[in-house]
Amino acid sequence: AMNRISFVLLLAASLPAFSAALDLSRAGIVIPAGFTGPERKAVTMLVEEVEKRSNVRWPVRESRAQAGTPCVEVNVSKDKGRAPEGYRIETAAGTSGCAVTITGNDSRGVLFGAGRLLRALRMSRERVLLPEPLHVTSAPKFPIRGHQLGYRSGNNTYDAWTVAMYEQYIRDLVAFGSNAIEMTAPGSSIDASPHFRMPPVRMVEEVSRLCLEYGLDLSIWYPADEKDYSDPATVERAVQSWEHLFARLPKLDAVFVPGGDPGHTRPKLLMPFLEKAAAALRRQHPKAQMWVSPQGLDDEWLEELYGILRTKPAWLTGIVHGPWVRVTTEQLRAAVPAQYPIRLYPDISHTMRCQYPMRDWDRAYALTYVREPIAPRPRAETGIFHAHEQSSVGFVTYSDGCNDDVNKIIWTALGWDPNANVADVLREYGRYLVGVETFGDGLLSLERNWEGPLAANAGVETTLLQFQSMERTAAPAMLLNWRFQQGLYRAYYDAYTRSRLLYESALEERAMEQLRNAPQVGSSAALSSAEDILMQAVTTRVAQDRRVRVRELAEALFQSIGMQLSVEKYKGSGWERGVTLDTLDEPLNDRRWLVEQFTEIRKLADEQDRLTRIVSLLDRTNPGPGGFYDDVGNPNQEPHVLKYDDISLQGFAIAKDGPLAWFDHATSWRDRPVRMRYTGLDPAAAYKVRVVYAGEAVNQEQGIRLLANDEIVVHPYVKKPLPVRPVEFDIPAEATRSGTLTLSWDREAPPSGRIRGAQVSEVWLIRK
């Protein structure tokens, strides 16, 4: 369906008139005799992609077209000194003869030249125009420009694909300049997917065949996740297993072994195993490369790896910088011998608990979208790319599905030309892959939807209006296009979430007002009235039309691309894997926790006790006179938190119990502390701190410590209390004697190299 329907793009019936436009509706393609397989595949791609969008099929000849018939001539330069993978495109003045000439510097240059022409054409039914002359000479800046498309259970899309869908997606990436595809090794995923169309090893073989046909690089992500590589029998068994896969693949250019996530073997054991694996690899594919990353290595193991690299093992090709690497790309480049190139493995797929988390993301979005939503972040990804480009030879991005499709195209375009204008790339994206250029502008609007406090972001409503306008005028085929469906899903979902946030926030304010009346009306009546008001979020839902449309689009995306936006309905692989339909109605106020508190209060026999508990609910965040309260995980309510420019201080975890303030937290990376600073304190007063250590379960094992002014121990390393609850500590008088106080939290070293540090959710500084 993706291949035959979603990509049959029908543009508007009339196109704007260009004085220099070339009409190629009746063109043919001329190629020289002796074109190789990849060169012919490039021509096939050009012919078929034009036909899908216009119903015009260009004939292919190995001779010049007849006089009066325009043609597109495709050939390979005889100048062997030209830049690899580059091309030249020229257009003639007239519309007869060869109106367009594509000259690839090599076979891949032909492929990328064809992609560049496709992006420039304006295609509608029975009509193919080149709106203005092309005189382009171009070659890529970075030699590695790839994406991981793993056929495994732990993603939100790829496991539902057919071979034809893989081929179409590879073509789309190629059109913007991708030259490498990375698959995950069969068996590296824990569970089988109910969506598999064939066994994983067969799909890897098929993608390998496609890479051979198109002349692209194929890489395999292969974690070394055996328990004991000190055991010779384990090593021998693993090498044989790996070589068995290598032998089955018609093309294999690289193997990438993550040092962790998954896998956790110290370098002095891992590297000898990889030396044997590299020998097995090259028995089957003599020119194949072996790459390894220091993901998950702590400082000791990282130094151990550096020591091995200084011996300059010849079997190793290069080093990969990916998630959970403790050092920056610049630090890694400085420590690794120059003979080893560094390739990036950037996580472009996730929004939290990841390599590049969202900064200052509104809590409402974190609660509903969680970790793997449809996330076009073109400007953010551009910044990430430029922050790392100087230290690398390119990238193969980490992706868990097509929720990051836009981000893949951005990285690809920048990998070709780091100076590419992102807005122009997005308009090409919209024009070529969706069918309307303004879709690219809509993607920028979607990114802005996630900036700043959601309640104050009226632009969310404007974005929805923009997408609704495109929706009303879209041709049937465009409505079936999965990329357009993704944009609509996000626009409706964002707007529905904002409507709910405003509505549910108002409901909570009204409920609190009922509780404040408890001394006059009695606890029972106040609790009942407050609960009835809170439950209106369910009994009288807001913006039902938006909610219905989101659900319709979720079904459309499952049908068009196999995107799994629900665990129950679409068999998504887990709550972190993009199942945003399941969290569509997640409470955006403290309704769930408050109703639980109401139940507990009703169990109290004494009316005065019930009223006292109600007052404590109302005063929960009150620090008292001369005190301060910070919801430190909420970017809209943490004035005392000291932020770092290069990292996010915001983290999220699913809170089983407690108010929403326990859902998010301030966190730190790379051994940095979470820090807060207070000024204007009373030097003669005594203070105490009340703090909630919520956060992720993974952070429960290592102790957390609190220092005052970076040197006075308020409390030593302690385990976070479970269940989560506020804890209090006195602040030593000498810490506040100057009227200024700095609080800092750090975390004990974890048993692995993961770089998330202390996690703090709420802080009260209370004057005693």
Side-chain angles (χ1 to χ4, degrees):
M2 173 177 153
N3 199 25
R4 297 200 313 262
I5 298 177
S6 293
F7 285 81
V8 182
L9 304 178
L10 303 178
L11 301 183
S14 61
L15 290 169
F18 294 92
S19 59
L22 291 176
D23 189 344
L24 300 175
S25 306
R26 298 179 58 226
I29 296 183
V30 175
I31 63 174
F35 248 23
T36 66
E39 291 159 0
R40 283 188 174 272
K41 198 68 176 179
V43 173
T44 299
M45 180 184 80
L46 181 59
V47 169
E48 292 179 353
E49 295 305 312
V50 167
E51 185 177 21
K52 287 171 189 173
R53 291 160 173 78
S54 67
N55 204 36
V56 171
R57 186 170 183 87
W58 286 345
V60 180
R61 304 181 181 88
E62 290 188 355
S63 61
R64 288 211 174 256
Q66 296 178 347
T69 302
C71 75
V72 177
E73 183 176 5
V74 183
N75 51 49
V76 180
S77 173
K78 296 180 180 179
D79 183 356
K80 301 302 182 183
R82 291 183 177 272
E85 303 188 356
Y87 58 82
R88 185 174 69 254
I89 301 178
E90 297 289 341
T91 52
T95 57
S96 61
C98 283
V100 182
T101 301
I102 302 173
T103 305
N105 295 352
D106 49 25
S107 294
R108 284 188 183 173
V110 174
L111 188 67
F112 298 132
R116 177 66 180 85
L117 178 61
L118 284 168
R119 285 152 42 205
L121 294 173
R122 305 298 195 271
M123 293 172 274
S124 60
R125 189 167 183 83
E126 308 297 339
R127 197 173 183 194
V128 182
L129 295 180
L130 184 63
E132 54 190 8
L134 277 180
H135 300 284
V136 178
T137 299
S138 187
K141 169 70 179 296
F142 290 92
I144 304 175
R145 308 175 305 282
H147 305 282
Q148 189 181 95
L149 312 177
Y151 189 71
R152 64 191 187 103
S153 64
N155 70 71
N156 58 53
T157 313
Y158 306 133
D159 53 339
W161 283 6
T162 63
V163 176
M165 294 166 81
Y166 260 106
E167 181 171 13
Q168 183 61 65
Y169 199 57
I170 289 170
R171 283 186 177 185
D172 296 344
L173 295 174
V174 161
F176 285 83
S178 290
N179 67 355
I181 301 299
E182 186 165 88
M183 299 295 286
T184 54
S188 59
S189 296
I190 297 173
D191 303 313
S193 168
H195 303 289
F196 282 160
R197 307 295 185 95
M198 61 176 64
V201 68
R202 285 284 300 117
M203 184 60 81
V204 174
E205 289 175 347
E206 288 296 318
V207 174
S208 173
R209 175 186 58 78
L210 288 172
C211 288
L212 179 64
E213 292 177 1
Y214 283 89
L216 302 172
D217 285 347
L218 177 73
S219 174
I220 296 291
W221 176 85
Y222 215 142
D225 51 11
E226 297 283 351
K227 291 184 178 180
D228 185 9
Y229 285 96
S230 66
D231 175 29
T234 297
V235 169
E236 181 63 25
R237 182 178 66 251
V239 169
Q240 290 179 1
S241 175
W242 286 32
E243 186 165 7
H244 179 69
L245 174 64
F246 300 155
R248 294 186 63 161
L249 303 181
K251 179 178 175 62
L252 180 57
D253 300 280
V255 171
F256 162 39
V257 181
D261 194 24
H264 189 63
T265 299
R266 66 181 309 154
K268 71 178 184 180
L269 297 177
L270 177 64
M271 298 297 274
F273 163 70
L274 293 185
E275 182 175 10
K276 291 181 170 59
L281 171 64
R282 286 159 188 151
R283 284 194 291 269
Q284 304 300 327
H285 302 276
K287 296 183 179 180
Q289 302 175 344
M290 178 65 76
W291 297 74
V292 68
S293 79
Q295 291 172 241
L297 303 188
D298 61 19
D299 289 337
E300 179 185 353
W301 287 16
L302 189 58
E303 286 300 324
E304 187 172 281
L305 175 64
Y306 291 158
I308 295 171
L309 294 179
R310 284 192 286 269
T311 69
K312 300 183 178 180
W315 55 267
L316 182 65
T317 303
I319 303 298
V320 175
H321 187 281
W324 309 126
V325 174
R326 292 186 63 80
V327 296
T328 66
T329 50
E330 294 82 1
Q331 291 170 327
L332 188 65
R333 178 67 281 169
V336 169
Q339 74 183 69
Y340 299 115
I342 291 178
R343 194 203 86 184
L344 302 179
Y345 180 49
D347 180 356
I348 65 169
S349 202
H350 299 108
T351 53
M352 64 171 75
R353 291 189 297 283
C354 60
Q355 187 179 18
Y356 304 113
M358 288 290 301
R359 294 178 67 100
D360 297 339
W361 208 21
D362 193 281
R363 178 182 290 163
Y365 283 139
L367 285 162
T368 51
Y369 281 130
V370 193
R371 187 168 182 258
E372 200 172 276
I374 296 167
R377 300 174 63 191
R379 290 183 292 114
E381 294 297 337
T382 300
I384 294 168
F385 175 91
H386 288 306
H388 298 282
E389 63 173 306
Q390 298 301 324
S391 301
S392 78
V393 295
F395 56 86
V396 175
T397 67
Y398 164 39
S399 168
D400 269 323
C402 282
N403 62 302
D404 57 17
D405 177 68
V406 174
N407 304 337
K408 291 190 186 79
I409 298 301
I410 293 297
W411 273 82
T412 301
L414 294 171
W416 188 281
D417 177 10
N419 296 317
N421 183 288
V422 172
D424 291 342
V425 173
L426 292 175
R427 292 186 187 106
E428 281 192 346
Y429 177 99
R431 181 173 65 244
Y432 177 63
L433 295 176
V434 177
V436 56
E437 192 171 276
T438 53
F439 184 77
D441 299 317
L443 294 171
L444 289 170
S445 296
L446 288 177
E447 186 174 26
R448 288 191 291 269
N449 278 7
W450 283 3
E451 296 172 357
L454 175 57
N457 190 351
V460 170
E461 299 296 327
T462 304
T463 299
L464 179 59
L465 291 173
Q466 292 171 333
F467 275 89
Q468 287 175 326
S469 177
M470 288 186 275
E471 186 180 20
R472 283 193 298 272
T473 58
M478 185 167 146
L479 292 173
L480 292 171
N481 182 288
W482 65 267
R483 290 181 168 96
F484 187 58
Q485 292 167 353
Q486 281 193 339
L488 287 176
Y489 183 88
R490 262 291 309 280
Y492 277 101
Y493 200 120
D494 288 0
Y496 176 61
T497 301
R498 184 171 186 268
S499 296
R500 283 205 308 121
L501 176 62
L502 296 174
Y503 179 53
E504 293 182 24
S505 297
L507 290 178
E508 183 171 323
E509 289 180 8
R510 289 171 52 202
M512 293 299 100
E513 186 61 34
Q514 293 300 311
L515 294 183
R516 281 188 281 272
N517 292 332
Q520 289 77 40
V521 302
S523 63
S524 179
L527 291 170
S528 295
S529 296
E531 186 167 341
D532 288 345
I533 291 170
L534 289 171
M535 294 309 297
Q536 288 177 25
V538 177
T539 60
T540 310
R541 293 189 186 276
V542 71
Q544 277 281 56
D545 56 332
R546 296 175 177 183
R547 183 174 185 269
V548 168
R549 190 65 181 127
V550 168
R551 299 178 70 84
E552 291 172 346
L553 289 163
E555 175 66 24
L557 282 162
F558 182 71
Q559 296 294 334
S560 62
I561 197 177
M563 195 166 194
Q564 301 131 42
L565 293 164
S566 169
V567 172
E568 181 178 357
K569 191 171 184 180
Y570 302 119
K571 302 298 184 282
S573 61
W575 69 272
E576 284 197 317
R577 296 301 183 183
V579 290
T580 52
L581 192 64
D582 291 348
T583 48
L584 179 64
D585 295 315
E586 187 70 17
L588 301 182
N589 60 17
D590 277 327
R591 178 182 83 236
R592 183 178 290 153
W593 178 73
L594 285 170
V595 170
E596 291 174 355
Q597 298 304 302
F598 295 171
T599 300
E600 295 302 313
I601 292 173
R602 290 188 179 105
K603 294 178 182 178
L604 299 174
D606 184 74
E607 172 69 1
Q608 188 56 50
D609 289 343
R610 291 194 293 270
L611 291 174
T612 299
R613 283 286 301 276
I614 289 173
V615 170
S616 70
L617 276 182
L618 293 168
D619 276 357
R620 192 188 74 82
T621 61
N622 180 9
F628 304 90
Y629 167 79
D630 290 274
D631 180 358
V632 294
N634 186 340
N636 306 321
Q637 298 178 30
E638 29 77 307
H640 296 98
V641 176
L642 300 178
K643 295 187 176 183
Y644 303 108
D645 291 336
D646 59 335
I647 60 171
S648 171
L649 268 170
Q650 186 185 30
F652 302 94
I654 296 300
K656 301 298 183 183
D657 300 295
L660 291 186
W662 298 4
F663 167 78
D664 47 25
H665 50 265
T667 189
S668 59
W669 284 32
R670 297 193 176 96
D671 300 323
R672 298 187 184 186
V674 172
R675 305 180 81 231
M676 300 179 67
R677 180 166 296 153
Y678 302 85
T679 59
L681 302 182
D682 183 350
Y687 291 87
K688 66 178 179 179
V689 62
R690 180 185 301 154
V691 59
V692 173
Y693 297 133
E696 303 168 81
V698 72
N699 270 45
Q700 300 296 345
E701 293 302 317
Q702 286 74 52
I704 188 170
R705 179 177 65 171
L706 172 58
L707 299 179
N709 301 335
D710 298 322
E711 58 183 8
I712 302 171
V713 177
V714 178
H715 71 72
Y717 289 112
V718 296
K719 299 291 181 66
K720 295 181 179 181
L722 288 177
V724 176
R725 66 183 186 277
V727 289
E728 293 186 358
F729 306 93
D730 286 332
I731 302 294
E734 64 267 29
T736 57
R737 195 163 290 137
S738 69
T740 297
L741 171 67
T742 298
L743 297 178
S744 58
W745 289 265
D746 67 309
R747 175 189 174 200
E748 283 182 305
S752 73
R754 292 199 170 198
I755 54 181
R756 285 196 293 267
Q759 298 179 345
V760 183
S761 292
E762 288 184 294
V763 176
W764 295 253
L765 184 64
I766 300 170
R767 179 171 174 162
K768 296 174 64 174

